Each structure stands twice: as C-alpha cells, then as structure tokens.
Amino acid sequence: MKEQITAPILVSPAALMVLQIIRRRGAVSRSTVTEITGWSKAKTTQEIRFLLEKDYLVEVGNGASQGGRKPKLLKLNPDLGYLLGVDIGVTSLDMALTDIGGEILVRFSEPVDLRKGPEVVLDRVTEIALEMLGEVSGSAKQVLGVVIGVPGPVNFIEGVLVAPPLIPEWERFQIRSYIKKTFESTFVMVDNDVNIMALGERFAGEAQGINHFIFVKIGTGIGAGIMSNGKIHRGRDGCAGDIGHICVDKRGPLCNCGNFGCLEIMAAGPAIAKRAMDAVENGDSPLMAKMMEENGGYLTPEDVNRACLEADSAALQVIRESGRLLGETLASLVNFFNPSHIIIGGGISQFGNHLLVAIRQTILKRSLPLATKHLVINFSSAGRDAGVIGAISMASEYLFAIEEDPGRIIT
C-alpha cells in the first residue's frame, strides 16, 4: 500500500461519491459514473484521475463496446486493505475476511461457548483473524475495519453489551478496546447480532431492495432486527427488537431476564428441547425416548427436528407450538410496524416448513387484513452467512460514509 487510508475515507465528497458508486456496482466505466452523477466528462475524468493516482481505484480490463472503443472498467483497489466481519452467537462463531470491495477471501466457523467469558472468546477471535490474514499474506495494520455482532442488547455508541440475559459475564465489557489491542489502527464497531444479520439479508438475501422488514433470529435466544426506511432501527439506547422478552404467558417459566413467560423461554431452542423431553416423560414419543436414552438423558432441538422428519407426532406438535407462540408475538409487530417482509433466520429456522407454516398461520389469523395484504413471510436465504455478510456491509458502509453522523463516529 502507498499509504494507510483512514475511516471514514478522507477525500473530497465528489471523489467519495465515485467510490460509493463503484463499491455498490462493482467494476464500472467512466461513462457509467458520468451517467449516474450527471457530471461533465471533464469532471468525471478529474475525480477518477485523482483516485487512480491515490491507488484507491485500479483499471481491470474492458467493458462492452457501445459503438466505439471498449471502455476501461474501474474497481476498488483490492490491495488497499481488509475488512473483518465477526458474528458471535451463543454457541457459534463465524468470521470472514474480505478485501475493501467486500469480496470474501477467507471464511471460518467453529462452535463457541460464550460462558467462558469475553477475554477467552475475543482472544480466539483475534487468533483466528491473524491466521486468516496469514493465508492472504496480510497484516493487522492492513485491516481497515472490524464489525462484531454479539447476542444481547448493545449500546451501539459505546459498543458494549448491557444486561445480556444469556451471557451476564459480558456485561459492559469493552469489546472495542480489547480488539484494538491487536488491530490498533482499525475502527471497530459492535452491534446486536440480529441487526447485523438483517443487514446481511438486505445486502445478499431475501430482503435485497426491501426497506421495511423484520428479521427474526430463532436459536438459543430470540431477537429481531428491524429495517425501517432502509436503515436499522436501534431505538434510543440500542435495544429495539429484543422481542425474546415479550411476555407470552404470565404463568410461564422463569426467564433468564428475571421475568416469567417470555417468548424466549417458551419458544427458543432450549424450550423446544425441554417440551420434547416432557413429551417423552409423558410417554408420547417412543422415538424421542430412544434418542434421549442414546444421548444420556437429554434431547437437543436438532433431535426434535430429526424426529419430526421421521413423522413423530409429538415432535411435530412441539415445533408447531413454538411456531404458534412466535406467530402471536410477530402478529402484534405486524399490526404495529406494517413490514412488507418477515424473514426467519437462526439455527431453528432450519426446522423447515412445519415451523414456518405455524408462524404464517398465526400471523395471518391474528393480524389486521390490511397489514398482511402484501406481507411476505419466508426463511432467510442468506442463511448462516447473514451475520458475516451484514458485518462486512456495515464496515464498508462506514468506511465509505459521506454524511457525518455522530452516531457513527467510531474510534
């Protein structure tokens, strides 16, 4: 690299507009930039010459002829640096290293136990990140941005978890500062994992081009990312979308948050497993009883799904009950927010159509007709990649930010 670039990139607004166009469209010609901006050819040439001289752009061959010579295509210089996306779930860790244009260079996933504490988990994150950089002969100094998704309510400005029910050990831990011990010259952003998954779904999944939707993650916990007018709605303090702690049964079991009958404790992965084990104790499922015995006395949500695929009626009923509870909560959100799409992601979304049908039926039954007239309810098409794609998207958006927003000034 000729020089270390900063974030947001410090060039003129016009030059930054060119970078934004190329970031979003990929390789484009000078005439395409002129057409989009409305500038004169001289103005376009001036801005592009500056960006080529600074090594922000490179020429990458010729485009299709429009009647004359084939135009030279321009793209972001992949050697400028790297972006790192990190999606930390309660039980899984997903990471991706990309070039500045967002092309994934190295991808990594492994199980994780967040109860071991933030230092242990984040040490592993930095260890993996350095290994990924080694695979592309890169260094920590070349990482321009790191975005990390974590499960729980996040104060977005401070970059800390606040009273996370599932991982109290992470309460107000300074994630940004800890990561910057390794990546000193990097901007680091921390957000709720479902917000980041919603961004990933909008960038590369079911919600491309959709401005009003709710992304629902169902796993060990339950949360929602709310996309309003094309932007994540975080609320005043960053906890918007924490639907897992909406009460669905005042007489229900005690939740990790200290209240009773929350959606999360009634319908998330552990609740599915618990309800299935109750069915075994009641003698309702010989198949799951056998699974439970083979496991040493417990069932996992995946066991319940497997039993359902083998036409076990008790397993089917367990999954339908979770879908019904989710649908009742989401119906209230549909009436309130009027989204065009509800997209279901997370590990439990892999349970298939029995879950989705139960959610759909309940939403359609409990919501107002006008709110559901054009409503689309589907599983995530970005799948497991939604988190890391969203993290990279957020990093790229900040790196190429044009408008100065105090809420996005990250150190």
Side-chain angles (χ1 to χ4, degrees), residues 315-335:
L316 175 59
Q317 184 57 38
V318 167
I319 291 173
R320 282 177 173 170
E321 177 63 11
S322 282
R324 181 188 67 79
L325 292 168
L326 284 157
E328 287 185 353
T329 300
L330 292 174
S332 297
L333 300 183
V334 167
N335 287 336

Side-chain angles (χ1 to χ4, degrees), residues 172-252:
R172 301 203 67 85
F173 185 82
Q174 298 296 316
I175 298 173
R176 283 211 302 252
S177 299
Y178 202 85
I179 293 295
K180 284 176 73 69
K181 290 179 181 179
T182 302
F183 300 100
E184 298 177 7
S185 58
T186 301
F187 73 85
V188 180
M189 305 171 76
V190 181
D191 201 356
N192 174 266
D193 61 342
V194 194
N195 286 342
I196 286 177
M197 293 175 79
L199 287 171
E201 197 68 31
R202 188 169 191 266
F203 187 80
E206 184 78 12
Q208 291 183 65
I210 304 301
N211 289 326
H212 302 277
F213 70 89
I214 300 173
F215 184 98
V216 182
K217 178 185 178 183
I218 314 167
T220 305
I222 296 174
I226 303 168
M227 187 69 68
S228 179
N229 287 320
K231 295 184 178 180
I232 288 292
H233 175 74
R234 295 186 177 87
R236 168 61 181 84
D237 297 307
C239 64
D242 199 359
I243 66 171
H245 299 287
I246 293 175
C247 180
V248 294
D249 184 354
K250 293 180 180 179
R251 295 171 295 180

Side-chain angles (χ1 to χ4, degrees), residues 36-354:
I36 292 171
T37 60
W39 295 338
S40 66
K41 289 184 179 179
K43 170 71 171 174
T44 300
T45 299
Q46 174 187 336
E47 299 300 337
I48 288 175
R49 182 186 297 120
F50 167 79
L51 292 170
L52 286 169
E53 289 173 353
K54 283 287 189 178
D55 276 352
Y56 288 153
L57 297 180
V58 291
E59 291 184 333
V60 288
N62 299 321
S65 172
Q66 301 297 320
R69 289 187 302 173
K70 292 182 177 180
K72 293 285 186 182
L73 297 180
L74 302 156
K75 69 175 288 186
L76 297 173
N77 183 353
D79 296 329
L80 280 172
Y82 305 101
L83 301 174
L84 181 65
V86 183
D87 180 18
I88 303 176
V90 176
T91 60
S92 62
L93 171 63
D94 293 282
M95 297 175 58
L97 182 73
T98 76
D99 63 22
I100 195 172
E103 181 178 346
I104 293 179
L105 305 174
V106 189
R107 182 77 166 78
F108 184 88
S109 299
E110 72 176 19
V112 70
D113 183 358
L114 266 61
R115 294 170 298 181
K116 291 182 177 179
E119 292 95 341
V120 172
V121 174
L122 295 177
D123 282 346
R124 181 61 180 147
V125 167
T126 55
E127 179 184 11
I128 294 167
L130 293 174
E131 290 174 357
M132 296 168 86
L133 284 163
E135 291 188 34
V136 296
S137 301
S139 69
K141 290 183 179 179
Q142 291 175 286
V143 177
L144 305 176
V146 179
V147 172
I148 302 174
V150 289
V154 172
N155 182 314
F156 184 66
I157 302 299
E158 296 181 31
V160 297
L161 281 152
V162 180
L166 295 175
I167 47 171
E169 304 89 348
W170 289 66
E171 166 77 15
R172 301 203 67 85
F173 185 82
Q174 298 296 316
I175 298 173
R176 283 211 302 252
S177 299
Y178 202 85
I179 293 295
K180 284 176 73 69
K181 290 179 181 179
T182 302
F183 300 100
E184 298 177 7
S185 58
T186 301
F187 73 85
V188 180
M189 305 171 76
V190 181
D191 201 356
N192 174 266
D193 61 342
V194 194
N195 286 342
I196 286 177
M197 293 175 79
L199 287 171
E201 197 68 31
R202 188 169 191 266
F203 187 80
E206 184 78 12
Q208 291 183 65
I210 304 301
N211 289 326
H212 302 277
F213 70 89
I214 300 173
F215 184 98
V216 182
K217 178 185 178 183
I218 314 167
T220 305
I222 296 174
I226 303 168
M227 187 69 68
S228 179
N229 287 320
K231 295 184 178 180
I232 288 292
H233 175 74
R234 295 186 177 87
R236 168 61 181 84
D237 297 307
C239 64
D242 199 359
I243 66 171
H245 299 287
I246 293 175
C247 180
V248 294
D249 184 354
K250 293 180 180 179
R251 295 171 295 180
L254 179 66
C255 182
N256 292 306
C257 72
N259 292 311
F260 289 89
C262 293
L263 177 65
E264 185 168 289
I265 201 68
M266 298 285 291
I272 289 172
K274 172 65 167 58
R275 198 174 294 116
M277 287 188 283
D278 289 343
V280 169
E281 292 297 323
N282 293 333
D284 296 333
S285 175
L287 175 58
M288 289 195 292
K290 182 180 178 182
M291 291 178 176
M292 191 167 168
E293 183 180 355
E294 292 172 350
N295 288 350
Y298 69 92
L299 289 171
T300 67
E302 290 73 24
D303 291 328
V304 183
N305 184 42
R306 185 156 54 93
C308 183
L309 293 175
E310 294 184 32
D312 184 273
S313 59
L316 175 59
Q317 184 57 38
V318 167
I319 291 173
R320 282 177 173 170
E321 177 63 11
S322 282
R324 181 188 67 79
L325 292 168
L326 284 157
E328 287 185 353
T329 300
L330 292 174
S332 297
L333 300 183
V334 167
N335 287 336
F336 175 75
F337 179 58
N338 188 208
S340 65
H341 290 62
I342 290 179
I343 299 167
I344 311 294
I348 303 302
S349 69
Q350 299 173 22
F351 280 22
N353 284 332
H354 291 303

